[in-house]
């Protein structure tokens, strides 16, 4: 029986799909889960308060320093450091909790904190720790109160302010600014469509039609914003998922090929080698359970 990447949904039974946990307590209780590769169908804000660790996000080792905030979007594959005791807080929430209006949806989709257009977002907040701490305390206090019709809105408002302050800090800390405009809008739409359709649609023409622009215009947008063509981004997304499955599961190459929309395993093997210079089997041998 093939071993799949573990995916965790938000805890059931809570009055809100929003939670703040002590990182040290969570790590002690669930270390075996946290230190193995897994996906989550919700957002993470991890406040590393007093630890020098690494955090693996897909195949990238992120060096974490004390007083850091790390922002992880839903559905990525990640794992915590298994060498150091963690201290801090972790804020978890879902789209359902945050996105009450169209404006909320737009904010979260375009937020530089959870948008993986360039890299995983991390900020240092040592000089602003008291401000962030006060917001966390407000949220924790509200969570301890009796649930009423206003609690969800109050918590979402506090979280929104926390995210806005985080964006301000990120913009002040070596952030590569992406100019707002039509190009960015097209890229965001393309990335959203790609995330849903990459297994079954690998032609640029399909995505351009869905956005109602020409292939040339889509190419202009992705090249200007990300320095890559739409085809390169499609190939990167397919290859990332292939690498995730190869490294973190025991599914056969044949099963992976069909899962990713290839009619023949040989086509998948050629595709993988073309873009990574090694075969799927060679990659698995080098990165098994990485």
């Amino acid at each position: 029986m093939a071993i799949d990447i573990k995916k965790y949904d938000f805890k059931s039974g809570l009055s809100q799909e929003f939670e703040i946990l002590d990182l040290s307590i969570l790590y002690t209780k669930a270390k075996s889960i946290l230190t193995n590769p897994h996906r989550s169908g919700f957002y993470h804000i991890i406040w590393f308060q007093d630890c020098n660790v690494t955090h693996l996000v897909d195949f990238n080792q992120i060096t974490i320093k004390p007083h850091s905030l790390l922002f992880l979007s839903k559905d990525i594959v990640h794992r915590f450091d298994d060498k150091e005791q963690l201290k801090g807080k972790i804020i978890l929430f879902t789209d359902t909790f945050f996105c009450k209006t169209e404006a909320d949806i737009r904010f979260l989709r375009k937020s530089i904190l959870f948008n993986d257009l360039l890299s995983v977002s991390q900020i240092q907040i040592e000089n602003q720790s008291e401000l962030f701490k006060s917001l966390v305390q407000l949220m924790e206090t509200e969570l301890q109160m009796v649930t009423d019709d206003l609690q969800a809105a109050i918590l979402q408002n506090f979280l929104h302010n926390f995210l806005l302050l985080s964006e301000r800090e990120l913009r002040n800390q070596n952030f590569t600014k992406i100019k707002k405009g039509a190009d960015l809008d097209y890229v965001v739409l393309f990335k959203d469509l790609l995330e849903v359709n990459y297994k079954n649609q690998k032609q640029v023409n399909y995505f351009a039609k869905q956005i109602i622009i020409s292939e040339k215009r889509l190419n202009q947008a992705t090249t200007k914003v990300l320095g890559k063509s739409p085809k390169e981004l499609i190939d990167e997304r397919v290859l990332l998922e292939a690498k995730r499955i190869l490294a973190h599961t025991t599914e056969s190459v044949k099963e992976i090929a069909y899962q990713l929309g290839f009619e023949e395993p040989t086509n998948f093997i050629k595709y993988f080698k073309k873009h990574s210079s090694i075969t799927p089997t060679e990659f698995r041998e080098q990165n098994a359970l990485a």
Side-chain angles (χ1 to χ4, degrees):
M1 181 178 177
I3 300 174
D4 201 358
I5 302 170
K6 290 287 187 182
K7 180 171 181 177
Y8 297 95
D9 295 322
F10 202 85
K11 184 192 299 182
S12 61
L14 299 179
S15 57
Q16 316 289 344
E17 289 188 351
F18 174 83
E19 193 171 21
I20 301 176
L21 301 171
D22 183 282
L23 191 54
S24 177
I25 295 173
L26 177 65
Y27 188 77
T28 299
K29 290 181 176 179
K31 183 175 181 179
S32 61
I33 293 174
L34 298 178
T35 57
N36 280 295
H38 61 281
R39 301 179 196 256
S40 302
F42 45 89
Y43 300 87
H44 292 55
I45 304 171
I46 310 173
W47 186 350
F48 297 93
Q49 292 178 342
D50 187 23
C51 40
N52 289 282
V53 296
T54 59
H55 198 88
L56 186 70
V57 180
D58 283 316
F59 301 95
N60 300 311
Q61 289 275 3
I62 299 177
T63 301
I64 305 293
K65 297 180 180 179
H67 308 292
S68 293
L69 288 176
L70 185 67
F71 298 83
L72 301 179
S73 191
K74 58 185 180 181
D75 295 328
I76 63 168
V77 177
H78 68 115
R79 75 179 187 196
F80 286 75
D81 198 321
D82 63 354
K83 300 180 179 64
E84 298 288 341
Q85 180 63 33
L86 303 180
K87 296 180 181 179
K89 297 282 185 180
I90 183 166
I91 301 172
L92 310 172
F93 67 96
T94 65
D95 283 315
T96 300
F97 168 78
F98 190 84
C99 298
K100 307 299 185 186
T101 67
E102 287 294 326
D104 295 333
I105 295 170
R106 288 195 298 272
F107 173 82
L108 205 55
R109 282 176 64 232
K110 293 188 177 183
S111 171
I112 60 176
L113 301 171
F114 297 108
N115 196 319
D116 65 348
L117 291 178
L118 295 175
S119 61
V120 176
S121 295
Q122 179 186 178
I123 60 174
Q124 292 291 121
I125 60 167
E126 186 170 7
N127 296 330
Q128 299 287 336
S129 60
E130 290 304 315
L131 180 58
F132 283 93
K133 187 183 296 182
S134 65
L135 272 173
V136 171
Q137 289 174 341
L138 285 170
M139 289 187 279
E140 289 179 323
T141 299
E142 182 61 35
L143 282 169
Q144 293 170 4
M145 298 180 68
V146 176
T147 303
D148 60 20
D149 293 340
L150 297 175
Q151 186 178 70
I154 291 170
L155 287 169
Q156 196 258 19
N157 187 270
F158 286 149
L159 178 59
H160 195 177
N161 286 328
F162 189 97
L163 295 175
L164 288 171
L165 286 170
S166 298
E167 281 211 14
R168 175 188 284 170
E169 286 301 308
L170 182 56
R171 293 179 187 279
N172 292 331
Q173 296 180 23
N174 300 317
F175 171 65
T176 302
K177 186 176 181 180
I178 299 177
K179 185 178 179 180
K180 292 183 179 181
D183 289 320
L184 179 58
D185 290 340
Y186 289 145
V187 170
V188 170
L189 287 171
F190 171 65
K191 293 280 280 187
D192 286 347
L193 285 167
L194 179 59
E195 191 61 32
V196 175
N197 297 285
Y198 69 90
K199 293 181 181 179
N200 302 313
Q201 299 290 343
K202 299 177 177 60
Q203 300 302 315
V204 175
N205 183 51
Y206 169 82
F207 295 99
K209 284 184 177 179
Q210 296 300 308
I211 303 172
I212 319 179
I213 58 175
S214 67
E215 290 184 52
K216 181 179 179 181
R217 182 66 184 91
L218 181 57
N219 184 73
Q220 289 174 340
T222 62
T223 301
K224 185 174 181 179
V225 174
L226 300 176
K228 297 176 182 178
S229 70
K231 187 63 171 69
E232 287 177 306
L233 294 169
I234 293 169
D235 291 338
E236 282 183 2
R237 183 62 187 91
V238 175
L239 202 65
L240 172 60
E241 198 64 25
K243 289 180 176 179
R244 286 171 169 174
I245 302 170
L246 287 164
H248 305 313
T249 82
T250 59
E251 290 187 30
S252 68
V253 171
K254 181 179 179 180
E255 290 172 322
I256 297 170
Y258 292 144
Q259 184 177 333
L260 295 179
F262 292 87
E263 294 183 358
E264 296 293 337
T266 53
N267 293 339
F268 169 64
I269 294 170
K270 291 176 182 177
Y271 180 93
F272 191 94
K273 188 170 184 180
K274 175 183 177 181
H275 294 289
S276 61
S277 301
I278 59 176
T279 67
T281 300
E282 289 170 336
F283 178 85
R284 170 168 273 166
E285 290 171 349
Q286 294 174 13
N287 298 273
L289 301 178

